[in-house]
Amino acid sequence: MSRYNLFLKISNVVAYILVIAVNTAVQFKGYENSKPDEPISNSTLIYGNWTVPETYLLPANYTFGIWGLIYTLLFGFIIYQWFEAAETATIEGIRFYHVIASILNAAFLLIWGNSKIRVLIDAFVLTTLCLAVFRAYDNVTTHYPPKDIKDRLFIHYPFTIYAAWSLVATFLNYWAAIPFLNTVFFSTVAIIVLGIIGYDYNKHHDAVFSATIAWALVGIAVRQQDTMAILIASSVSSGVILGGILRKWINTGYAYRELRRNRLRDVGETDPLLA
């Protein structure tokens, strides 16, 4: 293993530990400072003592549990990168984008606060994070298709879900930072845009990316059910995405069954012992 390869892999490990450590510290500090008996008026408790303004794009609290899945899959990547099967995709595909994204993720956690300026800065940080993760995602999906289930679980899925969710999180932060955007009209447009993105990625054979977008839209529908335009837009958008995924699964299953049937028929026609 070259020095560069070793340095990159060690950097991935250190960057992952950094994000987990900062997450743990911020959450622990939040629990220490939280006051469970104090009512929350126009803000929502999301993580520890982080509070964000209530916006039309804010999904249900459980939606943010997807970070646990992302960090779990990234942990799998951190282990899997040391195996020879992951060498090329890690070194040439993911490169230092995971390290960059991890540093930006930690910065996002440390910057976050209740002031509009800090939330706006965090929105810019998330934009950069999103671009870094998308570069890794685009590289591995375009040039390094999965060879087996391990590649899917520990190379493709972590960065697919991470890319999709960082896109959603970027929208959420801009809406929290810029009150001008937080109207029913602009929020409905944003939901439709997310729905189109999710549907388009499903058309290009990435159901996991699309399902992540749908997860966020369902969360928005659950939380914003009292605002009819938001409820309709998020429900329809998530329904279209999930319907497209289901239709693709059905078509794939049908195509596989037809292929298997044709193969069995060809074997029956060519094998004299079966005649």
Side-chain angles (χ1 to χ4, degrees):
M1 182 185 298
S2 69
R3 290 183 178 180
Y4 173 82
N5 293 3
L6 180 61
F7 176 71
L8 174 57
K9 293 180 180 182
I10 293 176
S11 298
N12 282 330
V13 174
V14 173
Y16 180 80
I17 294 174
L18 172 67
V19 171
I20 298 302
V22 172
N23 259 284
T24 303
V26 171
Q27 187 180 35
F28 180 74
K29 182 180 179 181
Y31 288 150
E32 273 192 335
N33 298 335
S34 63
K35 299 177 181 179
D37 296 332
E38 184 176 301
I40 298 173
S41 54
N42 61 343
S43 298
T44 301
L45 194 65
I46 296 297
Y47 193 70
N49 70 333
W50 299 356
T51 57
V52 299
E54 188 75 40
T55 68
Y56 289 113
L57 286 188
L58 190 64
N61 283 8
Y62 71 82
T63 314
F64 294 91
I66 197 171
W67 280 115
L69 174 61
I70 291 171
Y71 291 140
T72 300
L73 292 174
L74 284 175
F75 177 74
F77 160 70
I78 292 301
I79 302 300
Y80 186 56
Q81 67 167 342
W82 296 99
F83 290 83
E84 185 178 351
E87 182 84 9
T88 304
T90 300
I91 303 302
E92 299 178 9
I94 296 169
R95 303 179 190 176
F96 276 94
Y97 293 124
H98 169 258
V99 176
I100 295 171
S102 298
I103 294 172
L104 291 170
N105 196 341
F108 165 80
L109 296 170
L110 294 172
I111 292 170
W112 181 264
N114 292 326
S115 71
K116 296 291 183 184
I117 296 299
R118 294 178 71 174
V119 177
L120 183 59
I121 293 173
D122 253 354
F124 288 122
V125 171
L126 264 180
T127 302
T128 310
L129 183 155
C130 185
L131 292 174
V133 177
F134 259 92
R135 285 303 304 269
Y137 162 72
D138 183 63
N139 281 347
V140 296
T141 54
T142 303
H143 304 293
Y144 307 96
K147 301 182 292 294
D148 52 31
I149 187 62
K150 296 189 295 296
D151 269 14
R152 290 188 184 276
L153 282 177
F154 304 130
I155 295 290
H156 285 257
Y157 288 173
F159 292 95
T160 299
I161 299 174
Y162 200 174
W165 186 252
S166 65
L167 175 64
V168 172
T170 301
F171 271 85
L172 299 182
N173 270 259
Y174 277 111
W175 254 247
I178 306 175
F180 172 75
L181 295 174
N182 189 36
T183 63
V184 173
F185 174 76
F186 285 124
S187 301
T188 303
V189 171
I191 289 169
I192 293 173
V193 169
L194 286 173
I196 292 172
I197 292 173
Y199 181 76
D200 184 66
Y201 270 81
N202 183 52
K203 285 177 60 179
H204 291 85
H205 311 291
D206 199 335
V208 174
F209 188 102
S210 300
T212 305
I213 300 292
W215 170 259
L217 293 173
V218 170
I220 293 173
V222 170
R223 186 181 193 88
Q224 309 298 336
Q225 55 186 292
D226 293 333
T227 306
M228 189 57 62
I230 302 297
L231 174 62
I232 293 173
S234 54
S235 298
V236 171
S237 296
S238 59
V240 168
I241 294 173
L242 295 174
I245 294 173
L246 180 61
R247 184 172 64 252
K248 180 173 291 185
W249 285 350
I250 293 173
N251 290 340
T252 301
Y254 178 78
Y256 174 78
R257 188 180 65 179
E258 287 298 308
L259 179 62
R260 188 169 181 274
R261 182 182 300 172
N262 291 336
R263 285 178 175 174
L264 290 175
R265 185 171 59 246
D266 292 343
V267 169
E269 292 175 353
T270 56
D271 192 340
L273 294 178
L274 299 176

